[in-house]
Amino acid sequence: MQNLAWSLSLVLMAAVAAVFLWVVAGASRPPGDAAAGARAASQWRSGLFWVAIVAGIVISFATLWDWPVAGHAANAPKADVTIRATGHQFRWELDRDTVQAGQLVEFELTSADVNHGFAIYKDKKTLLTQTQAMPGYVNKLQVRFAEPGEYEVLCLEYCGLAHHGMRAVIKVVAAVK
Ligand code: CUA
């Protein structure tokens, strides 16, 4: 999808550049019938407007069909462990906090009050993954912790005075062979 977006951007940039060059080339021509020119330009604009609207709808449908978060997709793999996590001002409530390395863990996230950002860090400073914890919704987030260790959960959405205090730890133990 990144590559497609990049190619599409290049094509659109080339189109914009071509229009610029066309305008520059036309600037030296003597003015013709001003009213006819204005009419033609106006037709162009309304045509382009509808092209942009239709393209926007088509591109949105084509690219936003699947929820872009693992766990919500229709073909999401089945998790080995589910952890229900609820954000509160100002703490995380997890129904379990220990999993095994290599397990596919699914977080079911919600909030008891306001929006929180559920972010999992590795080594205190590397963001592994994150999503929103929202009141009235359950957001799913799938993670596979490759290595044992303590993974810190922080809040990534400013949610009040003690936002910075919303911390929890997920312990990942070595897989039982
Ligand atoms: Cu919860 Cu910031």
Side-chain angles (χ1 to χ4, degrees):
M1 192 50 73
Q2 289 291 340
N3 285 335
L4 177 66
W6 177 230
S7 320
L8 218 61
S9 307
L10 282 181
V11 170
L12 291 176
M13 280 190 256
V16 170
V19 170
F20 267 100
L21 290 175
W22 178 67
V23 169
V24 169
S28 53
R29 263 188 256 127
D33 176 357
R39 259 198 314 280
S42 155
Q43 273 170 2
W44 248 102
R45 267 200 302 275
S46 48
L48 277 179
F49 173 77
W50 287 111
V51 167
I53 294 285
V54 170
I57 292 172
V58 169
I59 290 171
S60 300
F61 261 91
T63 58
L64 299 179
W65 200 246
D66 247 347
W67 197 254
V69 173
H72 274 277
N75 57 353
K78 202 177 161 335
D80 301 311
V81 193
T82 300
I83 299 182
R84 273 177 264 281
T86 306
H88 298 264
Q89 286 168 314
F90 298 96
R91 65 191 170 86
W92 290 109
E93 179 193 345
L94 307 175
D95 72 347
R96 64 182 287 173
D97 62 2
T98 306
V99 297
Q100 285 178 22
Q103 282 184 322
L104 182 59
V105 182
E106 181 165 288
F107 291 91
E108 291 186 1
L109 291 156
T110 190
S111 166
D113 35 51
V114 300
N115 267 35
H116 300 278
F118 183 87
I120 303 177
Y121 286 81
K122 184 187 178 216
D123 305 330
K124 299 258 177 212
K125 51 183 183 287
T126 310
L127 179 61
L128 270 190
T129 183
Q130 62 96 20
T131 193
Q132 290 275 303
M134 300 148 78
Y137 291 88
V138 175
N139 277 338
K140 293 180 180 173
L141 182 68
Q142 291 192 339
V143 193
R144 202 185 289 278
F145 297 96
E147 294 152 33
E150 296 207 336
Y151 292 74
E152 198 167 28
V153 175
L154 296 176
C155 184
L156 264 197
E157 176 80 47
Y158 182 71
C159 55
L161 280 181
H163 151 78
H164 60 278
M166 289 190 64
R167 302 161 85 243
V169 170
I170 294 162
K171 296 178 201 81
V172 179
V173 299
V176 179
K177 296 270 159 60

